[in-house]
């Protein structure tokens, strides 16, 4: 057995294809991207090394609204943590108490997560449609005709509408993670608290939520980095428009590379997105671990 | 014995009842918010523009126009897109399963110097966002003339499915006793036969979990597919449906039918395996 498990040929056969594919498709491209981000390159002629100029153009002499797109993604991160997570947490806590139909609700809330973003995007475009969409239909039905709007065509409302669809899609995802976290807490603790006469609300705020810290940390990281990486739904619904009002760094990166052929400058955006995700992940983890030390 | 209605036990029961009605109402309302848009999609997929424009945009269709489905499958290329999605997703699941089971087996069971390092290296892949690899892959594929081929998206889908899959399989394999494999060895089985006939059947539940996960992510993927594929005959459902709504921008019914067709396979698989899917999502997230 021992000799067999040291069979070098078998080990090579079992691991090398994985290693090769993973290295070529996942690891090497990151280094290429870093390299591209230092070039002035249109993808056709030869790239010229320009050092940090692309990064400087992102932040200092910016002309394409990159900073606004970063601000938009920060707003998305903020409302994901401030609105989406509380809704998910509330649903998770209610379901984790063991209510009748627990499994049904859990299953249903998760459905939007598994549906293709293209479908979700098309669906919400129809919902927001100014003439026959569901939203205006509901508003007319309750006599609020004055509030009807061409939601996605109006640069004042488009961003909020796209964000609403994104929050809607992923509430179920966070709900599931938080539900699993709440369920993993020993029921004895609740029992003891109830015997001591603690109210449900007190139990939630003083026992359940503090004990869910590690999964809350995961959810916040996902919500924040997910907001920075968000692409599909915005690309489908507005493509960054109207008048760049719904632009986020990923959509801007996409048009910069594939419509304006600024390969170097677009790669700098890609690297910025990775760096932003990494920094925020570390900061959020640090915040949570400090918190735990004090407790 | 007469029990007064203000008996503490009864009072408590009443209170619980009232609060659970409120909770149910809340959960029910939220169910409506999550599901109604999808029901609405289903309903308008049977309507035509006349019906929608003449005031029945919201309700049950007057006539169930199954012809919308027929139209979109035949004239809109959706049948081709559907087939492509099946090919791409199927190939991705098969190739990734072979790669990740063999690698996980070598990591957990076999003795070599680099197994921990190899695992760490692969797991780092879970942190890599797709965006960072998009342009380099595009350039490589273009130079190799592989754009507009099934390969151009199957390979990235497989590669990005590996970290999570290996993570789940390694965890599963570690909890399976080695005795069966050892006795098979004594009976004269070689390593490949042991892997294929003994270990592989034992990890089937984990493979199923990973396969479901891979199915969902590759069936729904948009960015790679949209960038690497522009030829109609290779387009997957996600990309195809985007171009479809461009062509038939105002035909609500057939577009709705196309959206329903793209959704039904995932919905069926989800409802069949909802517990397993939910578990695998949790397992994937906890790795932190």
């Amino acid at each position: 057995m021992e000799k067999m498990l040291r069979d070098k040929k078998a080990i090579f056969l079992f691991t090398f294809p994985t290693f090769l594919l993973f290295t070529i498709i996942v690891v090497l491209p990151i280094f290429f991207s870093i390299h591209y981000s230092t070039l002035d390159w249109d993808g056709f002629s030869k790239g010229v090394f320009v050092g940090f100029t692309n990064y400087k153009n992102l932040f200092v002499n910016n002309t394409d609204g990159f900073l606004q797109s970063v601000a938009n993604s920060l707003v998305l991160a903020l409302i994901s943590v401030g609105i989406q997570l509380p809704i998910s947490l509330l649903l998770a806590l209610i379901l984790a108490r063991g209510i009748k139909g627990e499994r049904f609700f859990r299953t249903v809330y998760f459905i939007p997560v598994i549906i293709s973003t293209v479908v979700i995007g098309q669906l919400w475009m129809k919902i927001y449609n100014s003439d026959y969409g569901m939203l205006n239909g509901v508003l007319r039905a309750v006599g609020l005709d004055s509030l009807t709007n061409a939601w996605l065509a109006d640069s004042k409302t488009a961003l909020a509408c796209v964000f609403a669809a994104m929050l809607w899609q992923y509430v179920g995802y966070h709900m599931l993670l938080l539900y699993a976290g709440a369920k993993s807490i020993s029921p004895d603790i609740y029992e003891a608290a109830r015997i001591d006469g603690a109210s449900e609300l007190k139990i939630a705020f003083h026992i359940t939520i503090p004990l869910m810290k590690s999964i809350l940390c995961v959810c916040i990281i996902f919500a924040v980095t997910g907001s920075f990486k968000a692409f599909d739904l915005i690309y489908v619904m507005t493509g960054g428009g109207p008048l760049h009002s719904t632009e986020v760094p990923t959509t801007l990166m996409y048009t910069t590379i594939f419509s304006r052929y600024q390969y170097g400058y677009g790669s700098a955006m890609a690297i910025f997105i990775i760096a932003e995700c990494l920094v925020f992940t570390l900061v959020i983890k640090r915040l949570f671990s400090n918190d735990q030390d004090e407790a | 014995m007469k029990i007064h209605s203000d008996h503490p036990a009864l009072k408590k029961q009443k209170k619980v009842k009232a609060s659970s009605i409120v909770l149910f109402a809340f959960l029910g309302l939220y169910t409506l918010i999550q599901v109604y848009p999808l029901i609405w999609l289903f309903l308008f997929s049977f309507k035509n523009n006349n019906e929608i424009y003449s005031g029945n945009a919201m309700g049950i269709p007057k006539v169930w126009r199954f012809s919308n489905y027929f139209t979109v499958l035949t004239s809109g290329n959706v049948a081709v897109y559907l087939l492509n999605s099946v090919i791409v997703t199927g190939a991705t699941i098969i190739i990734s399963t072979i790669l990740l089971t063999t690698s996980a087996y070598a990591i957990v069971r076999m003795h070599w110097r680099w197994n921990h390092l190899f695992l760490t290296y692969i797991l780092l892949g879970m942190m890599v966002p797709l965006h960072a690899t998009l342009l380099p892959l595009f350039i490589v594929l273009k130079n190799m003339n592989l754009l507009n081929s099934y390969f151009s998206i199957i390979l990235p889908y497989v590669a990005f499915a590996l970290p999570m899959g290996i993570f789940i399989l390694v965890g599963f394999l570690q909890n399976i006793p080695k005795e069966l494999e050892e006795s098979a060895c004594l009976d004269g089985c070689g390593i490949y036969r042991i892997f294929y006939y003994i270990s592989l059947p034992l990890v089937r539940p984990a493979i199923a979990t990973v396969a479901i996960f891979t199915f969902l992510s590759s069936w729904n993927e948009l960015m790679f597919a949209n960038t690497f594929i522009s030829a109609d005959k290779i387009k997957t459902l996600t990309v195809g449906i985007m171009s479809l709504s461009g062509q038939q921008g105002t035909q609500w019914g057939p577009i709705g039918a196309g959206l329903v067709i793209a959704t039904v396979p995932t919905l069926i698989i989800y409802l069949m395996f909802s517990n397993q899917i939910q578990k695998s999502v949790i397992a994937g997230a906890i790795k932190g």
Side-chain angles (χ1 to χ4, degrees):
Chain A
M1 187 82 184
E2 187 59 27
K3 195 176 145 217
M4 203 176 71
L5 290 177
R6 289 185 186 283
D7 182 345
K8 287 238 162 63
K9 207 178 110 208
I11 292 171
F12 181 81
L13 264 177
F14 279 0
T15 57
F16 190 69
T18 300
F19 175 79
L20 194 68
L21 187 73
F22 181 77
T23 305
I24 291 177
I25 292 187
V26 181
V27 181
L28 285 182
I30 296 175
F31 294 100
F32 280 115
S33 273
I34 294 175
H35 170 62
Y36 295 163
S37 74
T38 62
L39 301 177
D40 178 16
W41 186 30
D42 61 6
F44 301 104
S45 52
K46 208 168 156 17
V48 182
F49 180 80
V50 291
F52 287 102
T53 311
N54 285 326
Y55 292 95
K56 220 171 91 192
N57 289 340
L58 282 181
F59 297 106
V60 189
N61 329 315
N62 187 267
T63 53
D64 61 356
F66 181 73
L67 291 177
Q68 184 57 46
S69 77
V70 173
N72 286 346
S73 70
L74 286 172
V75 170
L76 178 61
L78 207 67
I79 60 176
S80 297
V81 174
I83 297 175
Q84 186 182 43
L85 284 186
I87 296 174
S88 305
L89 182 62
L90 183 65
L91 293 169
L93 290 179
I94 294 173
L95 291 182
R97 282 164 37 118
I99 199 161
K100 209 171 163 194
E102 180 181 338
R103 208 185 133 184
F104 168 79
F105 287 121
R106 207 179 64 209
T107 305
V108 167
Y109 294 162
F110 196 71
I111 287 178
V113 182
I114 56 125
I115 294 177
S116 157
T117 317
V118 174
V119 173
I120 302 273
Q122 295 283 350
L123 174 60
W124 281 85
M125 282 165 79
K126 301 282 185 246
I127 290 176
Y128 290 132
N129 182 287
S130 59
D131 297 321
Y132 313 104
M134 201 168 88
L135 183 55
N136 281 352
V138 170
L139 287 173
R140 285 194 200 101
V142 297
L144 291 169
D145 293 52
S146 59
L147 289 180
T148 57
N149 191 2
W151 300 99
L152 287 176
D154 182 342
S155 61
K156 286 194 285 295
T157 52
L159 190 67
C161 288
V162 174
F163 285 176
M166 297 171 101
L167 297 188
W168 175 83
Q169 187 179 11
Y170 286 105
V171 161
Y173 181 76
H174 294 293
M175 180 276 305
L176 183 65
L177 298 185
L178 294 168
Y179 168 87
K183 273 283 179 190
S184 66
I185 298 169
S186 153
D188 300 351
I189 299 177
Y190 296 119
E191 206 49 53
R194 260 185 216 121
I195 289 169
D196 288 347
S199 70
E200 291 289 339
L201 238 100
K202 265 202 170 141
I203 294 178
F205 276 104
H206 293 284
I207 298 174
T208 321
I209 295 176
L211 283 172
M212 286 166 68
K213 233 172 215 163
S214 60
I215 192 75
L216 272 169
C217 175
V218 171
C219 281
I220 291 176
I221 290 174
F222 280 2
V224 170
T225 57
S227 303
F228 295 159
K229 291 190 277 188
F231 171 78
D232 291 13
L233 208 54
I234 301 174
Y235 183 73
V236 173
M237 287 174 73
T238 64
L243 301 173
H244 296 287
S245 59
T246 57
E247 209 80 75
V248 288
T250 52
T251 54
L252 203 58
M253 174 198 94
Y254 201 85
T255 44
T256 302
I257 292 175
F258 293 104
S259 308
R260 292 208 285 268
Y261 303 105
Q262 295 173 310
Y263 281 22
Y265 184 55
S267 295
M269 292 182 187
I271 298 301
F272 169 79
I273 296 165
I274 308 179
E276 192 189 19
C277 288
L278 215 61
V279 168
F280 273 82
T281 303
L282 292 176
V283 168
I284 295 166
K285 273 197 174 147
R286 175 59 61 85
L287 284 177
F288 268 83
S289 65
N290 277 354
D291 234 33
Q292 263 157 8
D293 291 343
E294 283 162 29
Chain B
M1 194 175 83
K2 193 182 161 202
I3 300 175
H4 290 285
S5 61
D6 57 359
H7 188 277
L10 273 188
K11 226 177 171 177
K12 182 137 191 251
Q13 214 173 14
K14 244 190 204 157
K15 209 176 128 202
V16 166
K17 233 179 183 169
S19 73
S20 71
I21 286 171
V22 173
L23 287 184
F24 260 108
F26 176 72
L27 292 177
L29 182 73
Y30 203 78
T31 307
L32 207 65
I33 294 175
Q34 291 294 79
V35 175
Y36 191 72
L38 299 168
I39 295 174
W40 183 65
L41 164 67
F42 181 74
L43 292 178
F44 85 65
S45 75
F46 288 99
K47 297 175 184 171
N48 63 10
N49 279 7
N50 268 342
E51 188 171 351
I52 292 169
Y53 294 176
S54 64
N56 188 18
M58 308 272 288
I60 305 230
K62 287 185 210 108
V63 186
W64 294 82
R65 287 180 190 79
F66 289 95
S67 59
N68 284 347
Y69 285 80
F70 188 73
T71 311
V72 83
L73 277 173
T74 49
S75 74
N77 274 336
V78 170
V80 178
Y81 304 151
L82 188 66
L83 182 70
N84 288 337
S85 273
V86 171
I87 292 173
V88 167
T89 308
T92 302
I93 290 175
I94 292 169
I95 300 174
S96 67
T97 303
I98 294 171
L99 292 182
L100 61 90
T101 45
T102 48
S103 295
Y105 185 81
I107 289 168
V108 177
R109 287 288 197 262
M110 303 192 71
H111 304 293
W112 45 303
R113 198 185 307 169
W114 308 110
N115 54 359
H116 286 292
L117 195 67
F118 183 60
L119 180 62
T120 315
Y121 177 66
I122 299 278
L123 292 190
L124 277 178
M126 288 202 262
M127 315 239 298
V128 175
L130 304 183
H131 313 80
T133 63
L134 186 67
L135 180 61
L137 286 180
F138 177 77
I139 292 171
V140 170
L141 291 167
K142 197 169 114 189
N143 291 340
M144 293 170 71
N145 273 325
L146 281 174
L147 289 177
N148 280 319
S149 69
Y150 292 130
F151 259 117
S152 66
I153 45 177
I154 291 173
L155 290 180
Y157 290 176
V158 170
F160 277 96
L162 292 174
M164 171 91 81
I166 287 177
F167 171 76
I168 290 175
L169 249 101
V170 162
F172 197 84
L173 258 174
Q174 278 165 342
N175 292 323
I176 290 182
K178 297 185 225 180
E179 277 73 25
L180 265 176
E181 290 162 46
E182 275 162 8
S183 66
C185 176
L186 292 177
D187 290 343
C189 257
I191 182 82
Y192 303 108
R193 289 175 60 125
I194 289 181
F195 170 75
Y196 189 78
Y197 290 105
I198 312 284
S199 313
L200 213 50
L202 289 175
V203 295
R204 237 179 354 215
I207 294 177
T209 303
V210 174
I212 294 166
F213 214 78
T214 309
F215 166 81
L216 288 176
S217 56
S218 42
W219 187 268
N220 292 336
E221 203 278 333
L222 175 68
M223 198 197 263
F224 283 144
N226 191 48
T227 312
F228 300 160
I229 288 174
S230 53
D232 249 333
K233 59 181 200 298
I234 313 283
K235 274 181 187 168
T236 54
L237 266 175
T238 46
V239 190
I241 278 177
M242 270 191 69
S243 55
L244 183 76
S245 66
Q247 294 157 17
Q248 316 195 329
T250 46
Q251 292 288 329
W252 283 48
I255 289 175
L259 297 178
V260 171
I261 291 170
T263 307
V264 164
T266 45
L267 214 55
I268 290 174
I269 290 198
Y270 172 65
L271 292 178
M272 274 166 63
F273 302 103
S274 72
N275 264 343
Q276 215 159 1
I277 290 175
Q278 294 181 11
K279 267 187 212 135
S280 66
V281 168
I282 294 164
I286 303 298
K287 101 294 164 180

